[in-house]
Amino acid sequence: MVVIGSDIDEENQESEPMISSEESREEEEDEEVQEEVWWGWLVVLASSLCNMVIDGMGYSFGVLLEPMRDEFNSGEGKMTFVGSILTGVTTMLSAPVASALVNRFGTRITCIIGSFISAAAMLTSSFSSSLTILMITNGIFGRFGLGIMY
């Protein structure tokens, strides 16, 4: 029920309409719903980009296999081992750590921590001079960060 009345200012003798608090609450709720819709789409975009990076790094390793094999003068078996570390690190190493981080800090902070770990690992792996360093930086630390984000 909306109650509209008038409040008379004694000095100016002007009347100002008064709106009950119910109507102002409805306006505030409408604004909150509009903000929630906007925030929801932002979360959808961020999670889509997150999954695109994680799955893109994991499933497109075969594209990089030939240039990396030429760069490191290595056999195909050793090079595929760098990419195959993804499954073991993502499921066995990072899942328990990620669940502990989510319980302690929440999903947003955990995803941010994982993104910083994987970004630092991918940056350092771009400067790796040997296959062993590439396995450690890209294979273990990079996939560990991606697993925390996942």
Side-chain angles (χ1 to χ4, degrees):
M1 179 174 141
V2 177
V3 179
I4 299 178
S6 63
D7 186 21
I8 299 175
D9 188 11
E10 293 179 9
E11 291 179 6
N12 298 334
Q13 295 294 325
E14 295 178 8
S15 67
E16 297 176 12
M18 287 178 37
I19 301 174
S20 74
S21 62
E22 287 181 22
E23 188 173 312
S24 64
R25 273 190 235 136
E26 289 176 4
E27 290 175 4
E28 289 175 4
E29 288 175 1
D30 289 341
E31 289 176 7
E32 287 177 11
V33 167
Q34 289 174 355
E35 289 177 12
E36 288 176 6
V37 169
W38 177 81
W39 184 254
W41 281 110
L42 185 66
V43 170
V44 168
L45 176 68
S47 63
S48 297
L49 289 174
C50 181
N51 284 327
M52 200 166 52
V53 168
I54 292 168
D55 291 337
M57 297 283 293
Y59 295 122
S60 66
F61 187 77
V63 175
L64 301 173
L65 187 60
E66 190 66 33
M68 289 173 64
R69 192 173 69 172
D70 293 341
E71 175 72 25
F72 292 108
N73 295 325
S74 169
E76 193 170 319
K78 288 183 180 179
M79 287 308 302
T80 55
F81 186 66
V82 175
S84 67
I85 294 175
L86 167 71
T87 305
V89 170
T90 302
T91 56
M92 294 175 58
L93 292 178
S94 64
V97 174
S99 65
L101 288 173
V102 166
N103 288 337
R104 171 121 174 135
F105 300 111
T107 55
R108 185 182 307 167
I109 300 297
T110 302
C111 189
I112 291 170
I113 290 169
S115 66
F116 282 134
I117 291 172
S118 77
M122 294 301 162
L123 183 67
T124 56
S125 72
S126 67
F127 295 109
S128 64
S129 59
S130 71
L131 188 60
T132 306
I133 294 173
L134 185 68
M135 284 183 193
I136 293 169
T137 56
N138 185 4
I140 296 175
F141 291 117
R143 306 307 179 175
F144 182 75
L146 291 173
I148 289 176
M149 286 172 46
Y150 201 60

